């Protein structure tokens, strides 16, 4: 038997590291993931692609992931704790593949397998990457399609490029932000337009397809993957665009520029520098990484120009979200992270490569890689904790916080066990994931993700929103819909429902879990007969 090459051993090592880093913490599921799980369970149980029975609204942002979880449920069962493990399994495998592909991309760019292994390992250990993998979100799958499409584009494999583009679109609609530059670059190559006509210093792989043949093959493959769902969504939901996109836009009150500032907090710390060095690490990243990224872009333009759309993507992502200015949820910071990492490493490698050429007798490259491994490895691991203060007592990223989801589950179980809630009981909630999944009640979604008619009550009166918060439940929404129960954080009702005499006459506070986030507690109200 032929022995495995060094590259193959390194690929196996980073993939195993990614699997271990995600299996070790166990599921720490984020509330939005439970929305997807409830859709998946409804499919398996025969209710259709719905959240509430009989209501055909696309309230999940990830149809492909929903169907994947449904496939797991059909094969292995739909127990309450099953779907978080299904999601962790799928995400761990996706991140293992991403780590391996990042190794191959960086190896092709730098010519050094160890540089590729370093980046693959950093992605495997990244607290951001691990948090949303164990959090049950579709982020890992969305990033896999981005990295896989990039690798196939570099390798001149247009059919596979198109297939991964289609899968990316089906996983998250904002994948269009990386799909567009990749397709435009490919079109520029066919038209021989600058800068797409740059010649790579790395020899083209055997069997590469380019020019117009690559364009039409990519588009055809992408259409074959994406078109069936798009047609189904038009017929079933009325649109392939998730209703949650528009609902979040009107429900949350955000000052101008908040999305830009939120992203700006994370872009300078791709290797979790803040966790080890605090604000100094973020400031150093802001000062050093942007110049390094620019150097990396120039290096990539000479060495592997087809990688440039991938490196442009984080900045297009930042621009698009800054202009739209939505509420930036934690998992929104993950998709641009691999490209940010590659851009910084490319800049460092360009300097190392130049220094090595000037001093060929010195071992600059190995020493540089060792120093980076120590520095970035230490910052990445500093984002972990051995003993989280809630959930499983197992090593996990510090940012894998899900205490609010544990409280919502407790409220859902209280509804079922103490108040006899059934699928016909109408329960209102602002965060509908865990409450809806574990209670199985008919949910009146006060944000409007799965109940689009609620968007008519927004934007809410700014006087209802406490300082430091971005959301409040409009009192008229509850008074009009008259749900049997309301589960809410205290801050969401402090200046509105909690002071409304009509609400106080119709509803009684029957349970509360004290908290130090989103107000003073999580509350359960019951409508008085």
């Amino acid at each position: 038997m032929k022995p495995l090459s060094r590259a193959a051993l390194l690929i196996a090592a980073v993939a195993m590291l990614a699997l271990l880093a995600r299996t070790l913490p166990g599921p720490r599921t984020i509330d939005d993931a439970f929305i997807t799980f409830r859709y998946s369970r409804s499919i398996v149980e025969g209710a259709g692609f719905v959240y509430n029975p009989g209501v055909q609204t696309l309230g999940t942002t990830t149809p492909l992931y929903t169907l994947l979880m449904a496939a797991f449920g059909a094969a292995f069962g739909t127990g309450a704790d099953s779907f978080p493990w299904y999601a962790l399994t799928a995400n761990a495998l996706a991140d293992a593949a991403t780590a391996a592909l990042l190794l191959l991309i960086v190896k092709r760019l730098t010519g050094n397998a160890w540089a590729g292994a370093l980046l693959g390992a950093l992605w495997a250990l990244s607290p951001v990457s691990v948090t949303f993998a164990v959090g049950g979100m579709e982020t890992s799958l969305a990033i896999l399609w981005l990295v896989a499409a990039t690798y196939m584009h570099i390798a001149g494999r247009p059919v596979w490029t198109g297939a991964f583009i289609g899968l990316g679109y089906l996983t998250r609609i904002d994948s269009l932000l990386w799909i567009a530059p990749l397709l435009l670059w490919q079109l520029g190559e066919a038209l021989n337009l600058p800068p797409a006509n740059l010649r790579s210093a790395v020899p083209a792989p055997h069997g590469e397809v380019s020019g117009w043949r690559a364009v039409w093959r990519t588009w055809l493959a992408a259409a074959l993957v994406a078109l069936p769902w798009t047609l189904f969504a038009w017929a079933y939901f009325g649109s392939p665009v998730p209703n949650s996109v528009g609902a979040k836009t009107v429900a949350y009150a955000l000052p101008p520029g908040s999305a830009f500032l939120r992203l700006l907090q994370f872009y300078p710390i791709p290797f979790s520098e803040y966790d080890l060095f605090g604000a100094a690490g973020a400031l150093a990243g802001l000062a050093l990484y942007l110049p390094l990224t620019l150097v990396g872009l120039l290096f990539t333009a000479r060495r592997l120009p087809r990688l440039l759309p991938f490196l442009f993507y984080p900045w297009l992502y930042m621009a698009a979200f800054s202009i739209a200015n939505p509420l930036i949820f934690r998992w929104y910071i993950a998709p641009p992270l691999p490209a940010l990492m590659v851009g910084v490493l490319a800049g460092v490698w360009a300097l190392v490569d130049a220094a090595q050429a000037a001093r060929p007798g010195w071992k600059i490259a190995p020493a540089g890689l060792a120093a980076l491994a120590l520095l970035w490895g230490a910052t990445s691991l500093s984002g972990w904790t051995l003993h989280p203060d809630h959930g499983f007592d197992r090593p996990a990223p510090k940012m894998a916080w899900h205490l609010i989801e544990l409280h919502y589950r407790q409220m859902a179980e209280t509804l079922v066990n103490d108040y006899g809630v059934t699928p016909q009981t109408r329960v209102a909630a602002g965060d509908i994931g865990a409450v809806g999944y574990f209670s199985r009640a008919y949910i009146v979604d006060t944000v409007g993700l799965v109940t689009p008619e609620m968007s008519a009550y927004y934007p809410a009166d700014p006087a209802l929103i406490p300082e430091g918060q971005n959301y409040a439940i409009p009192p008229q929404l509850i008074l009009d819909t008259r749900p049997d129960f309301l589960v809410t954080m205290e801050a969401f009702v402090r200046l509105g429902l909690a002071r409304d005499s009509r609400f106080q006459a119709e509803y009684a506070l029957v349970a509360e879990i004290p908290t130090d986030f989103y107000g003073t507690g999580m509350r359960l109200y019951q409508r008085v007969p």
Side-chain angles (χ1 to χ4, degrees):
M1 181 181 294
K2 187 177 180 179
L4 292 173
S5 67
R6 175 190 297 174
L9 291 172
L10 289 175
I11 288 171
V14 299
M16 288 301 299
L17 182 62
L19 291 172
L20 177 63
R22 284 143 188 81
T23 306
L24 188 60
R28 303 177 70 83
T29 310
I30 293 167
D31 199 66
D32 277 36
F34 286 113
I35 299 176
T36 299
F37 299 162
R38 176 155 157 161
Y39 271 98
S40 302
R41 186 175 63 195
S42 294
I43 294 170
V44 176
E45 294 178 351
F49 204 124
V50 296
Y51 186 87
N52 285 324
V55 182
Q56 294 175 191
T57 298
L58 183 58
T60 175
T61 56
T62 178
L64 179 63
Y65 199 71
T66 304
L67 295 172
L68 177 61
M69 292 299 102
F72 273 104
F76 304 110
T78 59
D81 291 309
S82 300
F83 283 99
W85 281 104
Y86 299 155
L88 188 150
T89 300
N91 293 342
L93 292 171
D95 281 338
T98 297
L101 288 168
L102 286 171
L103 184 157
L104 293 173
I105 288 171
V106 173
K107 177 179 181 292
R108 188 165 173 78
L109 175 64
T110 64
N112 189 299
W114 287 104
L118 171 62
L119 195 75
L122 289 169
W123 175 252
L125 292 173
S126 167
V128 174
S129 169
V130 175
T131 291
F132 304 116
V134 302
M137 298 297 291
E138 71 278 2
T139 313
S140 296
L141 212 62
I143 292 172
L144 172 60
W145 308 139
L146 158 64
V147 176
T150 298
Y151 178 76
M152 292 301 170
H153 173 60
I154 292 168
R157 298 290 186 269
V159 173
W160 281 106
T161 303
F164 290 127
I165 284 173
L167 292 170
Y169 162 76
L170 295 179
T171 303
R172 282 195 66 88
I173 198 167
D174 59 20
S175 295
L176 293 171
L177 292 173
W178 63 260
I179 292 170
L182 192 155
L183 290 178
L184 287 173
W185 187 276
Q186 193 183 60
L187 185 63
E189 283 187 345
L191 295 170
N192 199 32
L193 297 175
N197 59 2
L198 292 170
R199 295 292 177 261
S200 174
V202 179
H206 177 71
E208 176 188 353
V209 179
S210 59
W212 287 108
R213 285 195 306 160
V215 172
W216 74 259
R217 290 185 184 187
T218 299
W219 279 84
L220 180 60
L224 288 173
V225 172
L227 195 57
W229 163 259
T230 303
L231 295 175
F232 168 80
W234 276 112
Y236 194 80
F237 302 111
S239 171
V241 179
N243 177 69
S244 53
V245 174
K248 291 176 181 178
T249 301
V250 298
Y252 297 112
L254 301 167
S258 61
F260 171 74
L261 293 175
R262 177 71 168 160
L263 291 171
L264 189 62
Q265 291 176 339
F266 288 97
Y267 269 50
I269 51 172
F271 303 105
S272 302
E273 290 82 352
Y274 184 86
D275 289 291
L276 187 60
F277 299 115
L283 290 173
L286 191 63
L288 293 175
Y289 288 165
L290 182 58
L292 282 172
T293 298
L294 293 174
V295 172
L297 286 170
L298 294 174
F299 178 75
T300 303
R302 295 193 304 270
R303 294 278 300 176
L304 194 60
R306 281 187 177 176
L307 187 57
L308 288 174
F310 180 67
L311 299 186
F312 290 149
Y313 162 62
W315 310 104
L316 179 60
Y317 186 94
M318 173 181 267
F321 276 87
S322 297
I323 293 169
N325 199 38
L327 178 61
I328 300 296
F329 293 94
R330 292 181 297 157
W331 50 93
Y332 286 17
I333 65 176
L337 189 59
L340 288 172
M341 288 179 164
V342 173
V344 173
L345 182 59
V348 174
W349 189 262
L351 300 179
V352 168
D353 196 50
Q356 187 69 73
R359 295 287 189 272
W362 295 8
K363 295 183 178 180
I364 297 175
L369 283 176
L372 291 176
L374 288 173
L375 173 62
W376 287 337
T379 58
S380 297
L381 290 174
S382 68
W384 286 65
T385 178
L386 291 176
H387 299 286
D389 61 7
H390 61 278
F392 294 124
D393 185 17
R394 297 157 68 167
K398 295 174 185 176
M399 69 181 302
W401 181 87
H402 70 135
L403 183 58
I404 190 172
E405 286 82 7
L406 297 177
H407 288 340
Y408 275 131
R409 177 173 185 169
Q410 182 180 338
M411 279 297 191
E413 291 171 345
T414 297
L415 284 168
V416 173
N417 298 330
D418 296 351
Y419 295 95
V421 164
T422 71
Q424 287 72 47
T425 309
R426 298 172 71 253
V427 175
D431 297 319
I432 66 170
V435 170
Y437 178 79
F438 289 106
S439 73
R440 289 179 171 258
Y442 187 100
I443 295 296
V444 177
D445 174 14
T446 64
V447 175
L449 308 183
V450 300
T451 49
E453 62 273 17
M454 300 304 147
S455 293
Y457 294 91
Y458 296 96
D461 183 349
L464 299 174
I465 303 174
E467 184 179 355
Q469 303 296 324
N470 53 41
Y471 175 71
I473 300 173
Q476 199 61 45
L477 186 156
I478 298 298
L479 296 172
D480 288 348
T481 57
R482 304 186 73 207
D484 300 300
F485 294 90
L486 168 63
V487 180
T488 180
M489 301 305 299
E490 179 271 334
F492 299 167
V493 298
R494 181 187 305 163
L495 303 182
L497 283 169
R499 297 181 177 182
D500 192 291
S501 59
R502 296 167 298 171
F503 178 76
Q504 292 172 355
E506 291 191 32
Y507 286 85
L509 178 63
V510 294
E512 185 168 11
I513 301 172
T515 68
D516 57 1
F517 48 85
Y518 300 118
T520 59
M522 180 180 291
R523 295 180 171 184
L524 174 61
Y525 291 93
Q526 182 180 21
R527 187 159 63 88
V528 179

